Amino acid sequence: MSEIRVVIADDDPLVRVALSHFVSRDPEIVVVGEASDGAEALKEIEEHHPDIVMMDVQMPGMGGIEATEQISERFPDVRVLAVTTLDTRETVLPMLSAGATGYMLKDSSAEEILAALRQAHDGTSSLSPRIAAMLVRHVRSSSTGTPSSSDLAPLTGRENEVLGLLARGMSNAEMADTLLVSEGTIKAHLGSIISKWHLRDRVQVLVAAARAGLVHFD
């Protein structure tokens, strides 16, 4: 695997040290920069061109949500992994809607953090069913106007099935078991949706589908 370049953004220097220690245990992951807020994170991205930013949500000055929105607009090839102490809709869901590929809690193990970084790098981050449902509701409630799918390329019948299972928070393996196909086939369908809609990952797919009214929870 190629080198994964990471910037860590957190206002607590001790947290930055701890996260850097965790991720540096993997020889293929390199911490190329650190930032104490969102504005500094943007400067680090411009200077070091990382693959992933590990982004705290609540920081003085520019917080993680605003920074993630700017990263999504200005640096579409850079993925954001939200890292927070709070697992609440007021923090995690706005981060995901802003463009974060996934999120982790700060008390996660080193192995979990490394796995999340690799998933973010691959664009394969999975959401739990609870978070997936919360995300869809959050996007629908914050969207204005009448939902329309006219701006999105149409999907095949099987792609729509995969989209529905994604909205239920299923992993690739769970989708494969449900549809009686291989995980490779599921990845191919997800890749096709991402390509058709010109997005980066499955979280963005879910956000776009929710905004267009293609998935919902009653």
Side-chain angles (χ1 to χ4, degrees):
M1 177 180 287
S2 59
E3 180 180 271
I4 301 175
R5 297 166 58 82
V6 175
V7 163
I8 299 174
D10 195 291
D11 62 308
D12 188 335
L14 293 179
V15 171
R16 296 199 301 271
V17 169
L19 291 175
S20 179
H21 173 72
F22 284 165
V23 303
S24 297
R25 294 172 57 175
D26 190 314
E28 294 175 335
I29 297 177
V30 179
V31 177
V32 296
E34 296 184 6
S36 61
D37 62 18
E40 285 189 9
L42 291 169
K43 292 179 181 178
E44 290 295 311
I45 292 171
E46 291 179 343
E47 181 175 353
H48 298 293
H49 310 289
D51 300 299
I52 301 172
V53 177
M54 299 177 69
M55 183 77 74
D56 190 15
V57 177
Q58 297 178 330
M59 295 180 288
M62 183 186 291
I65 296 171
E66 181 182 353
T68 300
E69 289 175 341
Q70 292 202 29
I71 291 170
S72 297
E73 293 176 0
R74 296 171 53 188
F75 308 101
D77 293 332
V78 178
R79 302 187 189 278
V80 175
L81 176 65
V83 184
T84 178
T85 57
L86 301 174
D87 183 11
T88 65
R89 63 177 297 123
E90 289 77 19
T91 55
V92 175
L93 298 185
M95 279 292 288
L96 293 172
S97 297
T101 297
Y103 76 92
M104 291 293 292
L105 296 179
K106 289 180 180 177
D107 61 359
S108 301
S109 68
E111 289 72 22
E112 290 171 331
I113 291 173
L114 289 172
L117 279 172
R118 291 193 177 281
Q119 287 181 330
H121 187 253
D122 295 338
T124 58
S125 299
S126 297
L127 302 176
S128 70
R130 179 178 69 87
I131 295 298
M134 287 171 59
L135 177 60
V136 170
R137 292 192 185 102
H138 171 76
V139 172
R140 290 296 306 118
S141 65
S142 60
S143 296
T144 58
T146 303
S148 173
S149 61
S150 60
D151 293 333
L152 298 176
L155 304 180
T156 66
R158 182 47 63 96
E159 287 168 353
N160 274 309
E161 287 182 298
V162 170
L163 179 63
L165 297 179
L166 178 66
R168 290 165 58 184
M170 287 193 181
S171 66
N172 286 358
E174 290 169 333
M175 286 190 245
D177 288 342
T178 299
L179 298 179
L180 302 178
V181 298
S182 69
E183 285 190 54
T185 298
I186 295 298
K187 290 180 181 179
H189 287 310
L190 286 169
S192 177
I193 297 171
I194 289 170
S195 177
K196 284 182 177 181
W197 289 358
H198 307 290
L199 302 174
R200 292 186 300 173
D201 54 56
R202 63 178 62 203
V203 174
Q204 287 195 339
V205 166
L206 194 53
V207 169
R211 284 176 177 157
L214 296 177
V215 294
H216 61 86
F217 289 87
D218 299 325

